Amino acid sequence: MTSNIHLRELGEFLKARRGELSPRCVGLPGSSRRRVPGLRRDEVAQQACISPGYYARLEQGRARPSAPVLHALVRVLHLTDAQRDRVFELADKEPARPRRSRAQTVRPVLQRLLDGLTSTPAVVLGRRLDVLAWNDLGAALVTDFSQIPEKHRNYVRILFTDPAMRTLHADWDSVARLCVAKLRVEADRCPQDAQLATLVGELSVRDDDFRTWWSSHKATAATRGTNALHHPIAGNLILDWYTLTAGAGSDQHLTVWTAESSSPSHDGLRLLASWAATNAST
């Protein structure tokens, strides 16, 4: 049974660690008029999805946290493995070791679908919205994914770091907000994903919009919508997008873009397909 001394020590550690972090570390905007160094209690509580009162009792050594709460605090406070083990020890809990993310390889059924889609742009996204595969027209529509290092081949990262994406999307804000909300679903599903935490930390520091939208905690698993694009080859396009999942519980998704038959956007896709086929053969 955890002693009161251990709980007080845990509380002191949480308080000290909170004081070492800046708001930007957890995706919050900074302020030159903050009264306390580091994070406030309510900010930690919000990011860990617990009540401010409960978190205050943790810092005061008057509450014993559950394992899920500890995992959330490990994530929010950016604890090292050694620090994680220590807080679990003080709370008399057994830490579950973060599982190594297995390598992502596109599922054969999705690859076959991609190979058969010659007139429809398509990409396969995996965990964290990593780009796993694409067809020629998908690359022609969005960007040449093959030119992006594999470790940076993430749809959200590309959207926020490639200036061409802001030109391509007529309503970049809406597209970016949606992708952040979809990424939030991934974070809620896999809170111990170290690569996802790294991605969120990087984008929070690099982009004010990402930091603001991430801290709103909005999440969505939307599977369809419409994109308006200003494409340098195909011109202005209005495309419907659909996301299909490769079976129940799968973490891989096929996204396709289509245009209404006989519309200018349909003609634009045909032009783009011809251009992509010509460039693929040269």
Side-chain angles (χ1 to χ4, degrees):
M1 179 65 70
T2 305
S3 70
N4 290 336
I5 294 176
H6 285 167
L7 288 181
R8 287 197 295 271
E9 186 177 345
L10 173 63
E12 291 169 0
F13 173 82
L14 294 176
K15 182 177 180 180
R17 181 58 180 163
R18 171 169 62 86
E20 295 172 350
L21 298 177
S22 70
R24 287 180 178 270
C25 289
V26 296
L28 294 173
S31 172
S32 60
R33 295 186 293 179
R34 295 175 66 88
R35 296 181 180 179
V36 296
L39 300 174
R40 298 193 300 265
R41 281 179 175 173
D42 62 302
E43 291 172 335
V44 175
Q46 179 189 39
Q47 294 294 309
C49 298
I50 58 179
S51 72
Y54 177 55
Y55 180 73
R57 292 195 297 275
L58 291 179
E59 285 200 356
Q60 293 162 2
R62 297 192 295 114
R64 181 186 180 200
S66 65
V69 167
L70 286 173
H71 280 301
L73 292 174
V74 167
R75 171 179 55 80
V76 172
L77 297 175
H78 294 255
L79 302 187
T80 64
D81 288 349
Q83 290 171 328
R84 177 200 61 209
D85 291 347
R86 182 57 178 160
V87 298
F88 271 85
E89 179 185 356
L90 291 172
D92 196 24
K93 298 289 184 181
E94 185 68 25
R97 297 288 178 178
R99 293 177 298 177
R100 289 186 178 182
S101 295
R102 64 187 184 278
Q104 299 188 83
T105 304
V106 62
R107 293 177 180 270
V109 64
L110 293 181
Q111 187 62 63
R112 290 195 296 270
L113 283 172
L114 274 178
D115 293 341
L117 293 172
T118 58
S119 60
T120 302
V123 300
V124 175
L125 303 180
R127 298 188 304 275
R128 302 176 294 274
L129 278 69
D130 289 341
V131 180
L132 305 185
W134 56 92
N135 61 7
D136 289 342
L137 193 49
L141 179 68
V142 182
T143 189
D144 187 354
F145 298 108
S146 67
Q147 297 302 307
I148 301 172
E150 186 174 355
K151 66 178 181 178
H152 292 157
R153 207 177 287 158
N154 175 275
Y155 203 89
V156 183
R157 190 181 191 281
I158 294 168
L159 192 62
F160 277 89
T161 61
D162 185 349
M165 294 298 99
R166 297 175 188 259
T167 302
L168 175 66
H169 292 279
D171 191 1
W172 180 88
D173 279 16
S174 295
V175 174
R177 281 177 183 267
L178 177 64
C179 282
V180 172
K182 291 172 78 70
L183 193 64
R184 174 60 73 175
V185 172
E186 290 285 310
D188 293 342
R189 185 171 64 88
C190 302
Q192 299 306 308
D193 189 327
Q195 289 175 264
L196 178 55
T198 298
L199 173 67
V200 170
E202 176 196 353
L203 294 180
S204 294
V205 171
R206 293 183 62 160
D207 192 280
D208 291 341
D209 287 330
F210 180 91
R211 184 168 61 252
T212 299
W213 297 335
W214 183 259
S215 64
S216 74
H217 286 267
K218 291 184 179 179
T220 183
T223 58
R224 63 180 61 189
T226 300
N227 289 155
L229 305 176
H230 297 311
H231 197 277
I233 304 294
N236 293 334
L237 302 172
I238 303 295
L239 303 178
D240 296 319
W241 62 267
Y242 299 86
T243 296
L244 309 173
T245 301
S250 173
D251 55 8
Q252 295 189 12
H253 314 277
L254 174 72
T255 296
V256 299
W257 289 265
T258 64
E260 185 177 350
S261 180
S262 302
S263 67
S265 294
H266 185 265
D267 294 338
L269 281 184
R270 292 179 61 186
L271 171 65
L272 188 60
S274 176
W275 177 86
T278 299
N279 279 266
S281 62
T282 58

